[in-house]
Amino acid sequence: MVKFEGHRLELELKQHSPLIHFQADDVGATLRASEVKPKLDTYLMKCVSLKDSCKINPTQSQALAYKMKIIATTSSSRAIDEREYRIFYGNQAVPAEKHKKFIFTETRIIITCFIDELRKAIEKHIADFFIVTNFGTMQHKGFGSFTVNENPVRKNQEIKNLLNSTYNSDIYYMDLSNSTHVAKFRAIHAFYQLTKSGINFRGYARSALFLYMHKKYNLGNEKAKVKVSNIIDRPSCPNEKQAEHRKTGTSHQHQFVRALLGVGTRMDFEPRNRNSDYVHIESDSIARMASPLRFKIIGDIVYIYAVPLSENIFNQTFTFSRQAKGQKNLSSTTPRFNIETPNQTSFDIQEFLAFSCAYYNYCRKKARNTKDTSQFLYDGKTYSVFGKLPEQLGSCPPIN
């Protein structure tokens, strides 16, 4: 039970996934109070209606009137092996001396508060706050997960209920018993890649996003547009028959559908001659946008949920252009084209999440040909491990 002793509260945290830190080699590197406290302040004010007397300066700031100190009782850094953690790409084109690293730490938080109302709010909600919040770089992909050491430990259903009420999302999960950090992030990477861009599961599987937008809105995607535009060498296809079919294009309108799951500044394909060109992405209105798909690791379980999309992502124009490795500036003769994001503001992220999880289950079953369900997704209510897809979308296509 979380309880202040007088004006002081001390908590021990349990780390569930690596923390990616930009100052990993500093002595005692751990969570930063400058990140944790503002997030906790915001969370508390959503949970409780606090008086202005609980704020440091209510006319200028929403910061709450308590002090937080975070101490690493032990801390060690480790280089990030991007061959094992393929979902991490933050050290690409960065000098080795500036590479981000993993931090593994035993952490103690000390909070000092002299306001009774605020102490009670912290006692009631701080453990929940850590369950629903990640920290550090790439926190939305599951890195930087900590929870308060509690007795008894929260059960899976309690955690799912809390994530559901916090994010108003259906909650799916993978139970990866006795697995390593590497195994958990391989599973996250496999799900995310299959959902957004497609993946090889003993045979090529097209992305859940492409299938969903194709079936529901009759749209083609940006990859098809890249292929017919020839701004880079056509991305490789599993076989020549498929390649020739895709080369001819389709009657579907090409749109930048991948933007619905996050926007970056580049897109890599595997060209047939394996040159180093890639697609540079830019827009006058959007530089970057985080994916609405989120991951939380607690113990052996990876939880997956989705937050609402920003309406700013719909009906926007982006420019795709060829850029070679090491090229800093684009010339006026650089091959390029404009492409729009979908205008379907009716896009239902929760329906899409259900579709993606069912499709992931289907692909894993097809690839493994096994009843081992240890890495498959559940929501505990409407989908069994091999749950059916939403009726209006039909069945999953075979994997070629």
Side-chain angles (χ1 to χ4, degrees):
M1 182 177 181
V2 176
K3 192 72 177 177
F4 274 85
E5 293 185 5
H7 305 303
R8 182 183 175 96
L9 173 66
E10 290 195 24
L11 297 172
E12 302 289 337
L13 299 184
K14 179 180 176 66
Q15 185 174 4
H16 298 277
S17 65
L19 173 68
I20 302 177
H21 206 291
F22 70 102
Q23 295 175 321
D25 291 327
D26 288 1
V27 176
T30 185
L31 291 170
R32 295 175 295 122
S34 59
E35 179 184 9
V36 178
K37 186 179 183 298
K39 287 184 173 183
L40 177 57
D41 289 357
T42 299
Y43 185 80
L44 291 173
M45 286 186 285
K46 287 181 179 179
C47 294
V48 184
S49 179
L50 295 168
K51 298 175 183 177
D52 283 349
S53 59
C54 293
K55 301 174 184 177
I56 295 174
N57 189 337
T59 61
Q60 297 182 9
S61 170
Q62 295 297 303
L64 297 177
Y66 63 91
K67 293 182 178 180
M68 176 182 288
K69 185 177 182 180
I70 302 180
I71 301 170
T73 55
T74 66
S75 179
S76 62
S77 65
R78 187 182 305 169
I80 303 173
D81 187 341
E82 295 186 26
R83 295 168 300 177
E84 292 188 332
Y85 293 88
R86 294 182 62 194
I87 200 167
F88 176 78
Y89 46 84
N91 288 334
Q92 292 182 3
V94 176
E97 64 272 14
K98 294 185 178 180
H99 278 190
K100 293 183 174 69
K101 295 181 179 180
F102 285 153
I103 287 290
F104 297 93
T105 177
E106 294 181 2
T107 304
R108 178 184 300 129
I109 291 186
I110 301 173
I111 294 177
T112 305
C113 180
F114 297 94
I115 303 171
D116 184 62
E117 177 187 1
L118 186 51
R119 286 199 300 269
K120 290 179 179 177
I122 293 171
E123 287 175 343
K124 183 176 181 180
H125 296 288
I126 191 170
D128 290 352
F129 161 74
F130 278 99
I131 286 174
V132 302
T133 311
N134 289 335
F135 305 92
T137 300
M138 291 191 70
Q139 57 192 259
H140 296 329
K141 298 296 190 297
F143 292 101
S145 177
F146 294 77
T147 58
V148 173
N149 272 334
E150 293 184 283
N151 189 13
V153 176
R154 301 285 185 102
K155 295 181 179 180
N156 179 34
Q157 191 60 49
E158 293 178 88
I159 294 171
K160 287 177 59 182
N161 290 343
L162 182 58
L163 288 167
N164 171 267
S165 61
T166 301
Y167 295 108
N168 192 28
S169 172
D170 293 330
I171 309 300
Y172 300 80
Y173 68 93
M174 304 183 197
D175 189 347
L176 303 174
S177 298
N178 302 314
S179 62
T180 62
H181 290 306
V182 170
K184 293 183 180 75
F185 282 98
R186 280 178 179 166
I188 290 173
H189 179 258
F191 173 80
Y192 192 75
Q193 188 174 2
L194 176 66
T195 299
K196 187 172 182 177
S197 58
I199 195 173
N200 277 307
F201 269 138
R202 296 185 183 176
Y204 181 68
R206 305 195 78 168
S207 74
L209 182 62
F210 169 82
L211 294 173
Y212 182 87
M213 300 302 288
H214 178 87
K215 288 175 177 287
K216 184 158 187 176
Y217 298 111
N218 199 33
L219 292 178
N221 66 358
E222 66 291 325
K223 187 173 182 179
K225 178 69 173 177
V226 169
K227 290 170 185 172
V228 299
S229 70
N230 292 320
I231 66 167
I232 63 172
D233 283 354
R234 182 163 44 85
S236 61
C237 296
N239 56 60
E240 290 302 321
K241 183 178 180 181
Q242 229 176 352
E244 185 61 31
H245 170 72
R246 294 182 187 182
K247 183 177 179 180
T248 61
T250 71
S251 61
H252 300 287
Q253 182 182 3
H254 297 141
Q255 292 195 333
F256 186 13
V257 300
R258 198 181 300 198
L260 301 182
L261 297 186
V263 175
T265 59
R266 64 181 284 172
M267 187 181 300
D268 292 281
F269 296 105
E270 183 180 346
R272 294 184 69 80
N273 66 359
R274 298 184 181 276
N275 66 21
S276 58
D277 290 355
Y278 62 90
V279 176
H280 175 76
I281 301 170
E282 59 184 343
S283 167
D284 292 335
S285 56
I286 297 173
R288 288 182 177 272
M289 185 169 288
S291 171
L293 301 179
R294 304 293 165 86
F295 302 86
K296 179 71 180 184
I297 297 173
I298 298 179
D300 289 327
I301 296 180
V302 177
Y303 297 91
I304 303 175
Y305 59 96
V307 299
L309 275 75
S310 168
E311 292 189 0
N312 294 332
I313 194 60
F314 296 103
N315 205 27
Q316 298 289 339
T317 299
F318 285 79
T319 300
F320 281 29
S321 53
R322 176 192 292 181
Q323 190 159 0
K325 184 177 182 181
Q327 181 184 1
K328 294 183 178 180
N329 299 309
L330 302 177
S331 70
S332 59
T333 60
T334 299
R336 67 187 70 203
F337 63 83
N338 290 337
I339 187 169
E340 288 71 42
T341 58
N343 60 9
Q344 280 77 16
T345 54
S346 62
F347 178 82
D348 186 339
I349 188 62
Q350 293 301 318
E351 181 182 75
F352 174 70
L353 178 61
F355 175 86
S356 299
C357 290
Y359 183 56
Y360 177 84
N361 290 344
Y362 169 88
C363 290
R364 291 205 72 95
K365 181 186 178 185
K366 184 84 172 178
R368 288 172 172 253
N369 191 26
T370 177
K371 295 183 178 179
D372 174 16
T373 62
S374 61
Q375 295 191 43
F376 293 173
L377 294 142
Y378 304 74
D379 73 351
K381 295 180 294 184
T382 58
Y383 282 86
S384 64
V385 64
F386 302 132
K388 295 180 179 179
L389 297 172
E391 290 182 5
Q392 68 270 32
L393 297 174
S395 301
C396 286
I399 302 174
N400 295 315

